[in-house]
Amino acid sequence: MAPQRPVGSALDKAGLGIKLLGISVLAGVLVAGVALPAVGALGLTAKDTADSFDNMPADFKTPALSQASLIYDNQGGLIAKVYDRDRTILTQEQMAPVIRQAQVDIEDNRFYEHGAVDLKGVLRAVTKNAESGSASQGASTLTQQYVKNVFVEQAGDDQQAFLDATRKSLGRKVQELKYAIKLEEELSKDQILTNYLNITFYGHQAYGIEAASNRYFSKSAKDLTLPEAAMLAGLVQNPSAYDPVLHPKAAQARRDTVINKMLEYKHISPDQAKEALAAPLGIKYQEPQNGCITAQSGMGFFCDYVRHVVKQDPVFGKTAADRQKLWSQGGLKIYTTIDPDKQAAAYHAVTTKVYPTDPVSAAISMVKPGTGEIVAMAQTRPYGLDAGKNQTVLNLNVDAVMGGGNGFAPGSTFKPILAAAALENGIPITQTYPAENKIPYPSMSTCDGTWRATGDTVQNESASEVGPYDMNTAMAKSVNTYFVELGKDVGLCPMRKMTNSLGITTRASGATIPEVPSAILGTLEVSPLKMAAVYATFAARGLHCDPIAISSVVSAEGKKLAVPKANCTQAMSESTADGVNTLLRSVTEKGTAAGISLDGRAFAGKTGTTDNRYAAWFDGYTPELAAAVWLGGPSGNFSMRNVTIGGIRRGAVYGADGPGPIWQAAMREAVKDLPALRSRPWTSRPRRTRPPPTRPRRRPPPAPTAA
């Protein structure tokens, strides 16, 4: 049933060579007689039209069509389909011949016989319009309609450009005509028809025949039957009026018109027509499934993070406009680092321990040490726009610039950063301080001078916490005064540099990190993803890698695009990292996290609880996987005292009993198939004294003026 192009009559041949016969004059007649009956009243003549025609650029560049992009997990499973326009471009061979014939028969049955202009159609339209005194009938060919669709596609979301592309004006008609002639010189009829079927709008956000076939019949365009193809072909003239969902009777009447046209032109038999006319519409409508809101297992937030990466990382375009164009143009196949099994484990843990209806939320990020790969990202409340269903699009795992909020104070989970700075600068793990229960903040050196004491004091959590302590015991018990005294000897500048080298260069809000003693105790807001990357650095024996979400991207043209790198650098010596691992093992074996276990598997981590119980954390890791869990009010100022979370009433929430069980449940499932290392695991990893030669050490940004 594939359309064939006959030789055509002498008049048709004249149409093919119309440029040689004086197309400028015909253009004037066409526009004046068909498109604008009142053109004479405007003072426009055939000569004006000819001049406009001859002065127009000859080149016509068809745009790359906007289509859907597909985002996959690291096992090839589809996470989501995202698009500005739902379209999947097909080749001629991927379209059922019946839809190609149906579209031609209802739109331009002489398409394969005439050139860019259908002279018979022009004469017929001029006669009809002259009789009616109005432009009741047009003579645009399918090629001209394709050109118009190209202008609409180029307009995109620009309303003025769209109005210009669809305006019934003399200039636009002439422009369409000239470009149609150019197209007929460069493309075959089959190519033009294929392009037309890929670009045309069929209603309900469906652009192109493949999207339309999936939308209305839940099948591919290659599998369309005669009555289905006829219905879709009839939609093009007016997708709203012939909408089969809202106006099924009108859609069926229009479908029957197409079937009868196909019979009239002898492209189907009477029996085929009879059977098709008797068939029901058979609509199997599928709502447009667009964007991250369709992602399963709580992957909507990760999907949104991927979108931010593509639109913000310079590797995808030098300017924001370039990156937006790449995203909007679509057709991308984006392969990500997310592990569906670990994601399912994280999502189950975070949603069963904390309910979406609870006054607090929880978030968890998992990062693979030594690679920076984000393998899980989940939070309690579902991704979406309906606040009545406790939905949100605020990604609590990431910084504000990547779709998150202003972050949360990490509390004592920040203390290992100071410990790393101390060990890196020669202070031993055996260093002892008095660590009295309450002390004033001492003056401390900064990168630019000295932070002067103000009289503010710091106190330990429990009245029984009174030193002296060494670093190992102080970390296990999370003794505040010990780490403030350690900070005095280390200085705020080395801690600031260590923080930078671990990937935290600003607060989650984007604000500058000040050099103040309270930062030692975790008062500066950060995101769970950044903290997961910090602890992944300890697990990788000091090798820090920026978190990455994308492993590869293939363009619509099948070209492999560059993707962001992890930029792995040795943030600290391996011996320093080994010391931190020893400290954090003591936390899980005999300290504040001793109640957390991984079925005998070796792991390390740190609890954290902020003032007023506004936030509680547990960040921990095995050699193979690091995870950070935050629990608190999404706005950051909800005190977790006398509160019910996950159906359990709590007098006060701590890092060990709030986020700790979430971390335990998620990690138990995530690492259950990995070999269990019961001895101290990190020293068994291959030693690397320097980063790979192709990954130079990153220099931290200049330190700000002391606050």
Side-chain angles (χ1 to χ4, degrees):
M1 195 177 291
Q4 300 296 319
R5 179 171 183 164
V7 174
S9 66
L11 187 56
D12 297 324
K13 292 177 180 178
L16 292 173
I18 201 160
K19 194 171 183 181
L20 298 175
L21 297 177
I23 186 61
S24 59
V25 175
L26 177 62
V29 173
L30 175 63
V31 176
V34 180
L36 295 174
V39 69
L42 299 176
L44 300 174
T45 66
K47 182 180 183 302
D48 296 324
T49 307
D51 290 341
S52 299
F53 188 93
D54 292 336
N55 291 332
M56 287 175 53
D59 61 319
F60 177 74
K61 296 181 179 179
T62 58
L65 298 182
S66 173
Q67 55 183 316
S69 291
L70 303 176
I71 302 176
Y72 299 95
D73 61 36
N74 71 355
Q75 295 182 18
L78 182 65
I79 295 175
K81 180 171 76 170
V82 295
Y83 54 80
D84 282 358
R85 290 188 172 179
D86 188 8
R87 176 188 283 121
T88 300
I89 296 175
L90 302 181
T91 64
Q92 177 181 344
E93 292 72 27
Q94 292 170 319
M95 301 175 183
V98 68
I99 184 57
R100 296 173 67 84
Q101 189 65 68
Q103 202 72 69
V104 168
D105 285 353
I106 194 61
E107 293 289 325
D108 182 3
N109 70 289
R110 288 169 33 79
F111 173 65
Y112 280 89
E113 301 172 31
H114 59 65
V117 177
D118 181 5
L119 293 183
K120 286 184 179 179
V122 170
L123 295 176
R124 182 176 61 250
V126 169
T127 301
K128 292 288 185 181
N129 291 345
E131 291 174 353
S132 65
S134 65
S136 61
Q137 183 168 345
S140 290
T141 64
L142 191 147
T143 305
Q144 288 171 267
Q145 292 176 48
Y146 169 64
V147 170
K148 178 180 178 180
N149 278 322
V150 169
F151 292 148
V152 171
E153 182 75 16
Q154 290 174 330
D157 295 329
D158 187 328
Q159 184 64 20
Q160 185 57 52
F162 173 80
L163 293 174
D164 291 342
T166 56
R167 181 176 290 111
K168 292 183 178 181
S169 68
L170 177 63
R172 186 185 63 79
K173 264 295 184 184
V174 173
Q175 188 180 45
E176 284 180 13
L177 182 59
K178 183 167 186 178
Y179 288 151
I181 293 170
K182 186 70 175 175
L183 273 180
E184 295 261 355
E185 291 176 348
E186 297 178 349
L187 301 178
S188 70
K189 288 284 190 177
D190 282 339
Q191 288 174 314
I192 293 171
L193 177 59
T194 298
N195 290 354
Y196 179 79
L197 287 165
N198 278 322
I199 200 173
T200 298
F201 179 58
Y202 289 87
H204 284 274
Q205 300 182 41
Y207 290 83
I209 192 61
E210 179 70 0
S213 183
N214 278 285
R215 181 77 73 254
Y216 298 111
F217 297 111
S218 300
K219 62 169 60 175
S220 173
K222 66 181 175 60
D223 300 320
L224 289 170
T225 64
L226 170 57
E228 292 168 346
M231 196 220 77
L232 293 178
L235 266 179
V236 173
Q237 185 183 77
N238 194 328
S240 298
Y242 301 129
D243 184 336
V245 178
L246 300 178
H247 311 295
K249 290 184 178 180
Q252 183 157 343
R254 176 65 174 168
R255 180 204 70 174
D256 293 350
T257 297
V258 177
I259 294 171
N260 286 323
K261 284 292 183 183
M262 297 180 76
L263 176 62
E264 177 185 343
Y265 301 136
K266 296 182 170 52
H267 292 131
I268 58 174
S269 69
D271 287 343
Q272 287 176 309
K274 181 179 179 180
E275 183 180 353
L277 290 169
L281 274 181
I283 299 300
K284 296 180 181 178
Y285 181 75
Q286 288 188 350
E287 284 287 347
Q289 297 295 302
N290 180 24
C292 298
I293 200 169
T294 64
Q296 301 299 310
S297 298
M299 291 192 198
F301 297 100
F302 177 76
C303 172
D304 185 71
Y305 180 77
V306 169
R307 177 176 67 88
H308 277 83
V309 171
V310 174
K311 295 176 75 170
Q312 294 190 36
D313 197 295
V315 75
F316 292 111
K318 293 182 179 179
T319 67
D322 291 337
R323 298 188 290 273
Q324 177 62 52
K325 181 179 179 181
L326 176 68
W327 181 260
S328 298
Q329 200 67 59
L332 305 174
K333 291 182 179 179
I334 304 173
Y335 299 92
T336 73
T337 59
I338 206 79
D339 183 309
D341 297 327
K342 292 178 176 57
Q343 173 67 23
Y347 181 66
H348 182 262
V350 84
T351 55
T352 55
K353 299 293 185 182
V354 183
Y355 300 156
T357 54
D358 287 345
V360 297
S361 287
I364 178 173
S365 286
M366 290 183 173
V367 173
K368 187 176 179 181
T371 69
E373 294 175 0
I374 304 168
V375 296
M377 180 183 287
Q379 64 189 60
T380 302
R381 297 181 183 179
Y383 184 85
L385 297 170
D386 191 343
K389 296 180 179 179
N390 299 298
Q391 295 177 351
T392 180
V393 294
L394 185 68
N395 190 344
L396 300 176
N397 273 291
V398 301
D399 290 357
V401 71
M402 301 304 290
N406 292 330
F408 310 96
S412 294
T413 61
F414 221 67
K415 289 172 181 173
I417 297 178
L418 174 62
L423 296 175
E424 189 79 347
N425 284 274
I427 296 178
I429 203 169
T430 56
Q431 178 68 44
T432 301
Y433 292 106
E436 297 174 5
N437 185 257
K438 183 177 182 179
I439 63 171
Y441 276 108
S443 296
M444 298 185 186
S445 63
T446 67
C447 293
D448 297 315
T450 302
W451 182 88
R452 300 293 179 185
T454 61
D456 291 338
T457 60
V458 58
Q459 189 169 358
N460 295 329
E461 176 70 23
S462 169
S464 63
E465 289 178 355
V466 179
Y469 295 116
D470 60 16
M471 196 183 302
N472 200 42
T473 305
M475 186 69 77
K477 293 178 176 291
S478 197
V479 180
N480 291 336
T481 56
Y482 176 92
F483 285 96
V484 170
E485 291 176 306
L486 177 63
K488 181 180 185 300
D489 284 353
V490 174
L492 294 175
C493 190
M495 180 179 172
R496 168 63 187 274
K497 291 179 178 179
M498 181 59 71
T499 302
N500 291 167
S501 69
L502 290 169
I504 300 177
T505 57
T506 67
R507 297 190 193 189
S509 64
T512 299
I513 296 177
E515 291 181 80
V516 291
S518 62
I520 294 169
L521 306 180
T523 59
L524 306 179
E525 300 83 1
V526 293
S527 63
L529 179 59
K530 286 292 180 69
M531 291 306 293
V534 168
Y535 279 69
T537 304
F538 300 146
R541 302 189 68 203
L543 184 67
H544 174 76
C545 301
D546 294 335
I548 55 172
I550 299 173
S551 55
S552 66
V553 176
V554 178
S555 72
E557 297 75 29
K559 179 182 177 182
K560 196 169 183 178
L561 305 181
V563 298
K565 302 298 183 183
N567 302 316
C568 297
T569 59
Q570 199 69 32
M572 65 191 75
S573 69
E574 290 185 342
S575 61
T576 291
D578 290 344
V580 175
N581 292 328
T582 297
L583 293 172
L584 298 183
R585 283 289 299 279
S586 70
V587 175
T588 61
E589 292 175 350
K590 56 184 179 181
T592 57
I596 301 171
S597 68
L598 284 184
D599 302 323
R601 185 183 300 271
F603 73 101
K606 183 70 184 76
T607 56
T609 309
T610 66
D611 289 346
N612 300 310
R613 299 294 187 273
Y614 284 161
W617 295 71
F618 185 76
D619 303 343
Y621 52 96
T622 69
E624 304 86 1
L625 187 63
V629 177
W630 160 87
L631 175 68
S635 62
N637 58 358
F638 181 87
S639 180
M640 291 186 290
R641 288 190 172 96
N642 299 315
V643 61
T644 299
I645 302 175
I648 300 174
R649 187 69 178 177
R650 301 174 185 274
V653 173
Y654 294 85
D657 61 15
I662 298 173
W663 186 94
Q664 175 179 273
M667 287 290 286
R668 274 182 175 174
E669 185 67 22
V671 303
K672 67 179 182 180
D673 295 328
L674 298 175
L677 300 175
R678 301 177 191 279
S679 61
R680 178 177 170 177
W682 291 278
T683 55
S684 65
R685 294 175 62 84
R687 296 186 66 86
R688 177 156 46 190
T689 58
R690 66 183 65 181
T694 56
R695 293 173 174 174
R697 184 179 179 89
R698 180 180 54 227
R699 294 180 180 176
T705 303

